[in-house]
Amino acid sequence: MRYIIIGAGAVGGTIGGRLAEGGHEVVLVARGAHHDALRTGGLRLTTPEGTRTHQLPVIQSPDELDGPLRPDDVLILSVKTQDSTAALDLWSARPVAGGGTAGELLPLVCAQNGVESERLALRRFLRVYAMCVWLPATHTEPGAVSAAATPVSGMLHVGQYPSGADDTARAIAADLEKSRFLAPVAPDVMRWKYAKLLSNLANAIEAVSGVIDGDEAKSLLGRALAEGRAALTAAGIEAASPAEQAAARDGRITLAPLDGAERGGGSSWQSLSRGTGTIEADYLNGEIALLGRLHGVPTPVNDALQRVANTFARERRPAGSLPVAELAAMVDAR
């Protein structure tokens, strides 16, 4: 299979680089300065084993492919959810050699935070797969990504959307397992994605106020999580338990310093650090707000975190620049 990584940032770049190291054919899709750096200097992937440069095909759109899509192509969507619709529209109608379109024939894997992209994809693709991404990776410099986990780079549960597991899911998982990932095939993959959604409620706090290590930040996160669990319960949605998640990872993955430097923040912090002008809070804290409104559960903490994170992104304010006491006061005022 050939893997086309739509969004070769922290997650997509690490997956693409590791697949290439595993001997698989990979095409990277990127934009702007990152695209230019990948084209001229290759993908610089730093892991605890060191830094390697991968010279891989890099494109900005399917028009730049050398010919039509192939029947053995696998599309891995790893853009932020706010960019999913544009990417799905761009790729779904592309012809596949021998007849048909990508939306009709090819598997599309949503390797993203949140739970909305699968729904967006299923409107355009017949074969949608969900991937729960636990992959501590960083992308703040064009052309470079780093992943600090060892001895594997992360855990990627994969399964059919909305549920199930087929030969394609098993083949993708097998390729990932050969490429320095743990990749359980999960017929209930959305349980894992909803559990990850709860953990990602921390992203907005970290993005605007920095590392969550004090009592005030932990208390704020606890309130956001309580709202999240209440909203999922009211909606009848089951998430993998903390014990299940710990059992899957504990003793199998650890984090190691890279080049003597500590890893930066998570995906939302990285978006603010790069000054992208957007952030995924609408699909993390905003997903809890949506479920709360649908099922009569108040979510004032997540409402406020969503609003503040969006303001930071829109105004391109520096990541981590709002003292957590001020953030908590803004949440309480809300």
Side-chain angles (χ1 to χ4, degrees), residues 8 79 90 105 137 149 153 181 196 208 218 250 264 274 316:
V79 299
L90 185 64
L105 299 173
S153 286
F181 292 104
K196 180 73 186 305
V208 304
K218 291 177 181 178
D250 285 0
R274 294 198 306 274
R316 289 179 165 80

Side-chain angles (χ1 to χ4, degrees), residues 130 132 154-159 169 173 177 181-187 189 192 248 252:
C132 180
M155 176 169 279
L156 308 173
H157 287 78
V158 62
E177 291 271 0
F181 292 104
L182 300 176
V185 177
V189 65
W192 293 89
R252 306 178 72 188

Side-chain angles (χ1 to χ4, degrees), residues 5-334:
I5 312 295
I6 305 171
V11 168
T14 302
I15 292 174
R18 283 302 205 185
L19 283 169
E21 290 173 8
H24 302 287
E25 191 175 358
V26 173
V27 176
L28 303 178
V29 183
R31 300 178 299 182
H34 188 45
H35 165 269
D36 296 344
L38 292 171
R39 287 288 295 269
T40 58
L43 171 68
R44 285 178 287 123
L45 174 61
T46 298
T47 68
E49 304 102 71
T51 298
R52 285 88 63 211
T53 299
H54 300 286
Q55 300 290 346
L56 301 171
V58 183
I59 61 174
Q60 295 187 86
S61 77
D63 293 332
E64 298 174 30
L65 281 171
D66 184 14
L69 290 165
R70 301 182 342 202
D72 68 338
D73 282 337
V74 175
L75 307 180
I76 297 187
L77 184 68
S78 52
V79 299
K80 296 293 193 299
T81 303
Q82 61 267 27
D83 298 319
S84 287
T85 297
L88 291 165
D89 286 344
L90 185 64
W91 285 88
S92 61
R94 302 305 300 183
V96 176
T101 65
E104 295 167 334
L105 299 173
L106 298 185
L108 179 124
V109 182
C110 295
Q112 300 162 284
N113 287 333
V115 295
E116 180 63 22
S117 279
E118 287 83 1
R119 295 188 288 234
L120 296 171
L122 204 58
R123 291 178 170 90
R124 298 160 175 85
F125 282 81
L126 293 176
R127 302 173 62 197
V128 176
Y129 296 79
M131 179 179 284
C132 180
V133 177
W134 192 86
L135 200 176
T138 302
H139 164 54
T140 56
E141 177 188 349
V145 300
S146 61
T150 187
V152 295
S153 286
M155 176 169 279
L156 308 173
H157 287 78
V158 62
Q160 290 175 282
Y161 181 77
S163 63
D166 62 4
D167 288 344
T168 297
R170 286 185 281 271
I172 293 168
D175 285 350
L176 291 168
E177 291 271 0
K178 295 172 185 173
S179 304
R180 304 293 289 270
F181 292 104
L182 300 176
V185 177
D188 60 348
V189 65
M190 294 309 293
R191 289 180 66 251
W192 293 89
K193 293 207 72 166
Y194 275 103
K196 180 73 186 305
L197 170 67
L198 290 175
S199 70
N200 285 143
L201 299 181
N203 286 27
I205 302 172
E206 179 187 64
V208 304
S209 295
V211 177
I212 299 174
D213 57 5
D215 290 342
E216 198 158 22
K218 291 177 181 178
S219 174
L220 188 58
L221 174 57
R223 293 163 62 191
L225 286 169
E227 290 180 0
R229 295 188 188 102
L232 292 187
T233 298
I237 296 171
E238 183 183 359
S241 69
E244 286 179 275
Q245 296 174 74
R249 290 196 298 262
D250 285 0
R252 306 178 72 188
I253 308 175
T254 59
L255 298 183
L258 300 175
D259 298 328
E262 293 185 6
R263 176 177 174 256
S267 57
S268 297
W269 180 91
Q270 293 173 46
S271 291
L272 292 185
S273 296
R274 294 198 306 274
T276 62
T278 66
I279 199 167
E280 57 192 337
D282 286 346
Y283 303 100
L284 302 177
N285 307 91
E287 180 70 27
I288 298 305
L290 171 63
L291 290 174
R293 291 163 194 164
L294 288 172
H295 299 283
V297 176
T299 59
V301 174
N302 283 285
D303 292 350
L305 292 175
Q306 178 187 3
R307 177 176 54 83
V308 173
N310 280 328
T311 299
F312 259 63
R314 184 172 57 253
E315 296 178 356
R316 289 179 165 80
R317 296 174 64 178
S321 62
L322 181 68
V324 70
E326 293 185 28
L327 175 61
M330 296 170 70
V331 169
D332 289 337
R334 177 78 173 183

